[in-house]
Amino acid sequence: MPESWSSKNKPPQRAELPLTPGYVYDPVFLEHDTGDHPENARRLEAIITGLDAKFIRQQLKSMPARPATLDELTAIHQAEYVKRIEAFCQNGGGSWDADTVMSKGSYKAALYAAGGCIAAVEAVVKKVIPSAYALVRPPGHHATSNNAMGFCLFNNVAIAASYALKKFKMERVLIIDFDVHHGNGTQEAFAHNPYVLYVSTHQYPLFPGTGHLNEVGQSSGAGTAINIPLPAGCGDNEYKQVFDEIIVPAAQRFKPELILVSAGYDGHWADDLSNMRLTLDGYYYLTRIIQQLAAELCGGRTVFCLEGGYNLQVLSCAVNATFNLWLGEKLLDDPLGQPPYKSSPRGVIELIAEVKKRHGLY
Ligand SMILES: [Zn+2]
């Protein structure tokens, strides 16, 4: 029988993916006791309370967290550094540096945060769930191979990406980092690695000081770091332009097998740790773009890893909106609305043009 006839009469391929998105959460994350620090256990409590208030959690698949193994951690961190963190916490913790605080329970929480992100990746790649949000703490994207900094102990997203490369022999993992700070640790982890494309939007200059547009990766990783260092005062319009003009074409060119997201909500206008002007509607737009990219490029496979975000209302509403989007409900609850005053940051159009030119995105 002619080829064309037989192929025409095959039953239409049905989507194999189940519709229920997943999440990773474990009360062990609350044992990272930082007291009155902005990165505290109340952040996750607010997220979970917010999900339950809207009956969202019961619609999701709960994926158990597990501790990352030493092998998994040392894909990114030096073994000696892991031991130092363990010993520091065993001795009761304290201030590691001016920003980063640990308690006795922090080591265990950090092991589970990294392992929780791995569990989310594993479930998504094995198609147990189409997408997942790892609601973890401590956050990770500032943690370097041999140091904790910026509230981060182990680099959860980098450890999860490395796991995807090794365990599933992936060759193209995209990390989108929309936390308002540059993920210096993640960039460092994959600076020489052509299999991970790291794309970051961040306020610049701001902590940790890295993320200049000239930082593009090194040696065989050259071109696989795309930094979009935005001036203070950027809001929804500027972020939309950046996503539409840089991140979408860069992702389409890279053709990822998996998209990981360093999701931080500290660029919201009501967050005290930055001077950006994003709204919840703006975050919703970015999340939708990422969802569309994942659907177009990698069968929807997306794992969000929680990074920063210190306004509890913003955190709760943004995470609710992400799950609602994944559940197909398109609901956005935005009690905070627009920033109280307008701002017009300068040089964003020129910056976008420069980044596009630097990375050959036309
Ligand atoms: Zn941040």
Side-chain angles (χ1 to χ4, degrees):
M1 119 197 4
E3 179 82 17
S4 57
W5 190 91
S6 65
S7 60
K8 265 185 206 160
N9 283 278
K10 276 180 188 163
Q13 286 201 333
R14 308 187 93 190
E16 288 171 27
L17 291 172
L19 291 173
T20 310
Y23 73 99
V24 173
Y25 172 74
D26 194 296
V28 72
F29 302 135
L30 310 179
E31 291 175 29
H32 171 48
D33 181 2
T34 55
D36 287 336
H37 193 283
E39 199 296 289
N40 59 58
R42 292 185 293 283
R43 297 175 63 238
L44 276 187
E45 288 170 336
I47 289 173
I48 297 299
T49 304
L51 288 171
D52 289 344
K54 302 284 182 183
F55 307 103
I56 295 174
R57 202 146 62 116
Q58 63 203 51
Q59 301 175 60
L60 308 172
K61 192 164 173 64
S62 168
M63 310 306 303
R66 64 163 175 85
T69 66
L70 188 60
D71 263 4
E72 290 160 354
L73 294 170
T74 54
I76 299 298
H77 299 286
Q78 294 176 7
E80 176 271 333
Y81 165 70
V82 176
K83 293 286 164 215
R84 263 201 298 147
I85 294 283
E86 183 181 17
F88 188 77
C89 295
Q90 254 171 12
N91 288 330
S95 293
W96 180 269
D97 63 18
D99 302 313
T100 313
V101 177
M102 296 176 211
S103 66
K104 205 168 177 61
S106 298
Y107 178 68
K108 188 178 174 193
L111 289 181
Y112 273 80
C117 292
I118 290 174
V121 163
E122 180 119 40
V124 164
V125 175
K126 290 185 172 169
K127 300 185 179 178
V128 177
I129 43 174
S131 52
Y133 207 132
L135 298 167
V136 301
R137 62 181 288 277
H141 72 154
H142 295 305
T144 66
S145 65
N146 64 358
N147 207 7
M149 58 183 279
F151 321 163
C152 301
L153 276 58
F154 299 137
N155 197 317
N156 306 322
V157 81
I159 290 165
S162 175
Y163 182 85
L165 298 181
K166 280 189 188 163
K167 175 80 184 284
F168 300 110
K169 311 262 182 296
M170 286 194 172
E171 294 185 340
R172 292 179 312 281
V173 175
L174 169 62
I175 301 176
I176 298 174
D177 185 335
F178 64 65
D179 187 280
V180 82
H181 302 96
H182 180 242
N184 57 300
T186 312
Q187 176 173 291
E188 177 203 270
F190 302 114
H192 299 269
N193 190 328
Y195 304 123
V196 177
L197 176 62
Y198 175 70
V199 184
S200 175
T201 53
H202 44 274
Q203 183 179 327
Y204 186 91
L206 190 69
F207 179 89
T210 51
H212 190 277
L213 65 88
N214 285 336
E215 296 166 27
V216 297
Q218 295 158 38
S219 62
S220 55
T224 60
I226 301 180
N227 281 302
I228 304 137
L230 294 163
C234 285
D236 295 355
N237 288 341
E238 290 79 18
Y239 272 84
K240 283 177 186 177
Q241 265 180 297
V242 164
F243 267 65
D244 292 345
E245 294 189 35
I246 299 174
I247 297 181
V248 168
Q252 286 169 334
R253 184 174 67 183
F254 186 65
K255 298 186 173 55
E257 297 158 281
L258 171 69
I259 299 179
L260 303 182
V261 179
S262 268
Y265 302 97
D266 38 9
H268 191 278
W269 65 262
D271 195 291
D272 292 334
L273 266 73
S274 82
N275 312 100
M276 290 309 211
R277 322 284 296 157
L278 271 163
T279 69
L280 281 161
D281 192 53
Y283 279 115
Y284 187 77
Y285 181 88
L286 311 186
T287 306
R288 212 172 60 220
I289 293 279
I290 293 169
Q291 183 197 35
Q292 286 164 356
L293 281 173
E296 174 191 336
L297 302 170
C298 53
R301 284 193 290 275
T302 326
V303 173
F304 275 52
C305 303
L306 184 67
E307 300 283 1
Y310 306 97
N311 179 302
L312 301 185
Q313 220 175 358
V314 169
L315 271 177
S316 170
C317 292
V319 172
N320 275 6
T322 303
F323 283 120
N324 276 332
L325 180 67
W326 289 349
L327 288 164
E329 298 193 5
K330 320 250 178 221
L331 278 177
L332 172 66
D333 181 24
D334 183 1
L336 292 158
Q338 296 297 311
Y341 59 89
K342 286 199 186 305
S343 91
S344 320
R346 290 183 179 188
V348 176
I349 290 170
E350 293 80 0
L351 170 73
I352 290 174
E354 189 61 31
V355 173
K356 284 168 76 174
K357 190 173 154 201
R358 192 79 181 75
H359 290 278
L361 295 165
Y362 297 104

